[in-house]
């Protein structure tokens, strides 16, 4: 009964999101990315015979993986419904992100927390508002969530020859597409890389027995090769020299003025390249729903009780919850050293919302279990 009810609610939630997606207007860059993707698609299918439009200098700094994939998928929809099809495709990846973060929460904690995380993330207005309208940022979120999940599955299954190649390919494609959306994707996964290093050397929360470093480095080579191929495949401006141009354009892109030069923040005007370290925290505080902010406050008040409760039923609770907090906190450090312009509030940090949703979900589960336990005593 409980399983049927949760499935019904999930279906209704997705139907509601689909209805909303079909009634959205275009954002300012929706058709820019679609036309860019369509041009790259024509180029690929013509094997380079169709010339690229180089009227805008910024285009060469876009690897364009998702724009090209999106343009390909749009061709399966009626041409009179291009906008609706773009929004629907974005929505599918957003729903995939929800299932991905639910799986991570399930691996870290349990199945119930996984389901709670799904709904907490879905009903977060920041996430829900971008589900259909945001192409690049939602795909970055999708790739972040699934990359962490696939890394964990790889660590668990390195000795399983039947599953290993599948995870290697999926990790490589996720990494390649993520980099192909925006090259700064590499900075967003630094916590994952540090987690991977710590897991191999020290933590060993998920790692399989008899983990082979030799095999790991060989698999890593295969992952990087496939990811690099995926990146350059959709980036025709690098095809003249696939060994030099990707790095040359990446370095040039660090100096290119993406976005706007100034931003109004906390009643002051800042250069977008010189934002204070508090930028992300203040944006989160003022834009997150009040119940989520309150849940974080309650979490810290009950921090030790939560630890004692979960350590009874879970192994390595501290390191797991520590990783979630590190993922959330790391971008505040990244802002200090980022050569890129930071603008549009939380849009560039949308990938944090699924991970933020795990903390309130852990608290909700804890409160539910304790209220249920005490009610039986009464």
């Amino acid at each position: 009964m409980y399983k049927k009810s949760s499935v019904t609610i999930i279906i209704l939630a997705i139907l509601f999101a689909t209805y909303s997606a079909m009634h959205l207007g275009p954002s300012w860059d929706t058709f820019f990315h679609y036309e860019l993707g369509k041009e790259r698609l024509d180029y690929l299918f013509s094997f380079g015979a169709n010339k690229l439009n180089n009227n805008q200098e910024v285009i060469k700094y876009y690897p364009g993986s998702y724009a090209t994939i999106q343009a390909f998928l749009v061709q399966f929809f009626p041409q009179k419904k291009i906008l609706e099809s773009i929004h629907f495709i974005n929505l599918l990846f957003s729903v995939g992100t929800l299932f991905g973060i639910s799986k991570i929460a399930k691996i870290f904690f349990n199945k119930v927390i996984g389901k709670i995380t799904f709904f907490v993330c879905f009903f977060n207005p920041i996430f829900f508002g971008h589900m259909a309208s945001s192409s690049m940022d939602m795909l970055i979120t999708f790739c972040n969530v699934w990359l962490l999940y696939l890394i964990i599955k790889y660590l668990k299954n390195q000795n399983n020859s039947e599953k290993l190649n599948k995870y290697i390919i999926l990790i490589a494609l996720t990494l390649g597409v993520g980099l192909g959306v925006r090259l700064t994707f590499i900075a967003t996964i630094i916590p994952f890389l540090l987690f991977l290093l710590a897991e191999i050397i020290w933590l060993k929360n998920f790692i399989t027995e008899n983990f082979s470093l030799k095999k790991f480095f060989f698999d890593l080579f295969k992952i990087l090769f496939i990811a690099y191929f995926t990146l350059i495949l959709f980036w025709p401006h690098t095809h003249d020299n696939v060994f030099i141009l990707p790095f040359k354009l990446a370095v040039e892109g660090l100096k290119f003025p993406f976005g706007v030069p100034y931003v109004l923040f906390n009643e002051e005007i800042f250069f977008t390249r010189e934002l204070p370290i508090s930028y992300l925290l203040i944006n989160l505080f003022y834009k997150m729903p009040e119940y989520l902010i309150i849940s974080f406050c309650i979490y810290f008040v009950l921090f030790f009780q939560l630890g004692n409760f979960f350590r009874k039923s879970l192994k390595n609770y501290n390191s797991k919850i520590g990783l979630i907090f590190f993922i959330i906190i790391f971008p505040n450090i990244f802002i200090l050293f980022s050569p890129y312009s930071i603008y549009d509030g939380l849009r560039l940090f949308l990938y944090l919302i699924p991970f933020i949703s795990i903390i309130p979900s852990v608290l909700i589960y804890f409160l539910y279990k304790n209220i249920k336990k005490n009610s039986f005593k009464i």
Side-chain angles (χ1 to χ4, degrees):
M1 182 67 182
Y2 168 76
K3 185 176 181 180
K4 288 183 179 180
S5 298
S6 60
V7 170
T8 301
I9 295 171
I10 289 173
I11 292 172
L12 290 174
I14 294 173
L15 288 175
F16 172 65
T18 304
Y19 173 82
S20 301
M22 295 302 101
H23 291 79
L24 280 176
S27 59
W28 65 274
D29 60 348
T30 297
F31 290 110
F32 166 79
H33 289 294
Y34 171 69
E35 292 300 330
L36 182 147
K38 194 169 183 300
E39 183 182 57
R40 301 277 175 93
L41 191 66
D42 293 339
Y43 173 88
L44 289 174
F45 279 141
S46 69
F47 295 99
N50 288 353
K51 299 300 180 182
L52 296 169
N53 178 11
N54 293 312
N55 292 337
Q56 299 183 61
E57 184 182 6
V58 68
I59 289 177
K60 67 181 180 181
Y61 299 119
Y62 281 105
S65 62
Y66 180 59
T68 310
I69 294 168
Q70 184 188 72
F72 174 74
L73 295 175
V74 165
Q75 307 311 309
F76 294 94
F77 293 85
Q79 288 302 297
K80 292 183 179 180
K81 298 291 182 180
I82 289 177
L83 180 61
E84 289 82 356
S85 59
I86 289 173
H87 287 163
F88 182 71
I89 293 164
N90 292 342
L91 179 66
L92 290 179
F93 283 101
S94 300
V95 172
T97 303
L98 291 169
F99 282 108
I101 198 62
S102 178
K103 284 179 174 289
I104 290 174
K106 179 183 175 182
I107 290 175
F108 275 34
F109 304 105
N110 58 48
K111 189 175 182 179
V112 177
I113 293 177
K115 288 183 178 180
I116 296 171
T117 302
F118 180 100
F119 290 109
V120 170
C121 187
F122 178 87
F123 288 109
N124 188 315
I126 300 171
F127 186 88
F128 185 84
H130 285 84
M131 282 182 72
S133 62
S134 178
S135 297
M136 295 179 67
D137 303 294
M138 190 51 74
L139 224 287
I140 290 287
T141 307
F142 174 88
C143 291
N144 258 271
V145 168
W146 279 98
L147 185 61
L148 178 58
Y149 174 77
L150 291 168
I151 287 173
I152 294 170
K153 296 299 285 186
Y154 170 83
L155 292 172
K156 283 175 169 282
N157 294 278
Q158 194 203 49
N159 294 329
N160 188 331
S161 56
E162 294 181 2
K163 296 181 179 180
L164 183 61
N165 287 332
K166 178 182 73 172
Y167 290 127
I168 289 172
I169 293 171
L170 289 175
I171 289 172
L173 291 176
T174 305
L175 178 61
V177 171
L179 288 169
V181 175
R182 192 181 287 128
L183 291 174
T184 49
F185 176 75
I186 192 66
T188 69
I189 64 170
I190 289 175
F192 303 168
L193 302 179
L194 294 176
F195 156 73
L196 179 60
L197 185 64
E199 181 68 18
I200 293 172
I201 297 173
W202 169 48
L203 294 176
K204 303 190 184 301
N205 293 338
F206 304 104
I207 202 167
T208 184
E209 292 183 9
N210 303 318
F211 186 86
S212 169
L213 275 176
K214 182 180 179 181
K215 194 174 185 180
F216 167 74
F217 285 114
F218 182 63
D219 293 339
L220 181 62
F221 173 78
K222 290 189 284 186
I223 288 169
L224 293 177
F225 177 80
I226 298 171
Y228 189 74
F229 176 79
T230 305
L231 170 65
I232 62 174
L233 175 65
F234 302 105
W235 200 359
H237 298 85
T238 66
H239 289 181
D240 288 340
N241 190 330
V242 296
F243 299 106
I244 302 296
L245 286 177
F247 299 97
K248 180 175 181 292
L249 291 176
V251 173
E252 289 179 5
L254 294 174
K255 301 176 183 178
F256 190 84
F258 290 97
V260 293
Y262 306 98
V263 64
L264 181 64
F265 173 67
N266 211 19
E267 298 184 345
E268 295 184 48
I269 296 175
F270 291 90
F271 285 107
T272 49
R273 292 175 181 261
E274 300 176 2
L275 289 170
I277 192 172
S278 60
Y279 176 81
L280 180 54
L281 288 175
I282 290 177
N283 266 284
L284 284 169
F285 182 79
Y286 283 106
K287 294 177 180 179
M288 292 283 281
E290 286 82 354
Y291 67 88
L292 289 183
I293 296 172
I294 293 170
S295 70
F296 267 82
C297 295
I298 297 173
Y299 181 90
F300 288 117
V301 170
L302 301 176
F303 182 78
F304 293 106
Q305 291 94 318
L306 281 156
N308 292 332
F309 173 80
F310 281 105
R311 276 192 291 270
K312 293 176 182 177
S313 58
L314 292 173
K315 292 182 179 180
N316 307 303
Y317 167 78
N318 289 343
S319 57
K320 291 174 182 177
I321 205 72
L323 174 60
I324 301 301
F325 274 109
F326 181 56
I327 292 170
I328 297 170
I329 293 169
F330 178 79
N332 292 278
I333 303 169
F334 174 69
I335 287 175
L336 289 177
F337 304 100
S338 172
Y340 281 94
S341 299
I342 307 296
Y343 54 93
D344 279 1
L346 293 174
R347 185 173 67 83
L348 299 178
F349 301 97
L350 189 65
Y351 68 93
L352 293 178
I353 302 300
F355 297 104
I356 288 173
S357 302
I358 292 177
I359 304 301
S361 303
V362 169
L363 177 67
I364 290 169
Y365 178 81
F366 169 79
L367 293 175
Y368 168 73
K369 282 294 184 180
N370 278 271
I371 292 170
K372 186 178 179 181
K373 180 180 177 181
N374 291 329
S375 66
F376 280 123
K377 289 182 179 180
I378 295 172

